[in-house]
Amino acid sequence: MRHSPVWLIAPALASFVAAPAFAVQYLDIGQAQKLFFPQADSFAPMPFLLTAEQKAFVEKAAGVRMRYARQPVWKVSENGTHVGWVVQDEVYGKHEFITYAVALDAAGAVRGVEILDYRETHGREVRNPNWRAQFNGKTHGAPLRLDQDIQNISGATLSCKHISEGVRRILALHAAALK
């Protein structure tokens, strides 16, 4: 049996193992918080664990499953007055997670959406400010359906769909636990 020389096999294996990296961190959570609430002087971490009842409410209201009952949340204050919330979350794009943050005003309306980490090879267009602005002002109960309430981006359909579902879930989370 004849074997290929090692110097021929190693480059071939390397091409399978070393796939190109596409992950990009656009913002960390602290930078996103300051973008959302530039005048705020306090971002108090309020991570909490949803009760089974709260989790069931969120899943039913949003129409999507919550992977985790624990959610990273910050209560935002300005001069001692509560002005809103920042919620960090992850959704799947097509193959990888998209980490994003949603800012809610004190009443629970979306103030902004920022993509923090994007790991997919395609679909980065969800960082487009005009696309993300479609969520601004939305509150719990807004359907946020892709191609109906939220415009799709060709080539980023799954990212658009999953971020829309995630924002809907965060709005339900506010209704269940952040009032």
Side-chain angles (χ1 to χ4, degrees), residues 14-178:
S15 68
F16 288 110
V17 175
F22 293 101
V24 177
Q25 181 180 28
Y26 295 105
L27 300 167
D28 64 32
I29 191 64
Q31 292 167 323
Q33 290 168 341
K34 282 311 229 179
L35 279 175
F36 291 139
F37 295 97
Q39 304 304 317
D41 51 26
S42 172
F43 297 94
M46 308 261 320
F48 61 91
L49 183 62
L50 291 171
T51 65
E53 295 81 24
Q54 289 170 325
K55 187 174 184 260
F57 171 85
V58 170
E59 289 178 342
K60 183 176 181 183
V64 291
R65 183 177 76 81
M66 287 194 71
R67 283 189 323 277
Y68 310 110
R70 188 173 307 277
Q71 187 74 49
V73 176
W74 290 262
K75 185 175 183 177
V76 184
S77 299
E78 184 178 328
N79 298 320
T81 302
H82 171 64
V83 294
W85 304 93
V86 175
V87 182
Q88 182 176 329
D89 195 27
E90 286 186 327
V91 293
Y92 280 113
K94 184 173 183 176
H95 302 288
E96 302 293 337
F97 281 115
I98 301 167
T99 305
Y100 67 105
V102 177
L104 304 173
D105 64 20
V110 174
R111 187 174 168 136
V113 175
E114 284 291 342
I115 306 301
L116 305 180
D117 294 307
Y118 196 87
R119 299 167 184 91
E120 294 285 355
T121 58
H122 296 86
R124 283 184 176 74
E125 296 85 356
V126 294
R127 283 218 63 241
N128 181 311
N130 292 329
W131 186 81
R132 290 180 291 114
Q134 296 179 89
F135 297 99
N136 294 350
K138 302 292 185 185
T139 58
H140 172 65
L144 302 179
R145 294 171 305 228
L146 195 61
D147 289 327
Q148 295 176 36
D149 310 295
I150 302 296
Q151 292 180 353
N152 188 25
I153 300 171
S154 180
T157 299
L158 290 176
S159 296
C160 292
K161 179 182 188 283
H162 296 156
I163 290 170
S164 297
E165 291 171 348
V167 173
R168 194 169 61 233
R169 187 169 21 82
I170 288 171
L171 289 169
L173 174 75
H174 177 269
L178 295 178

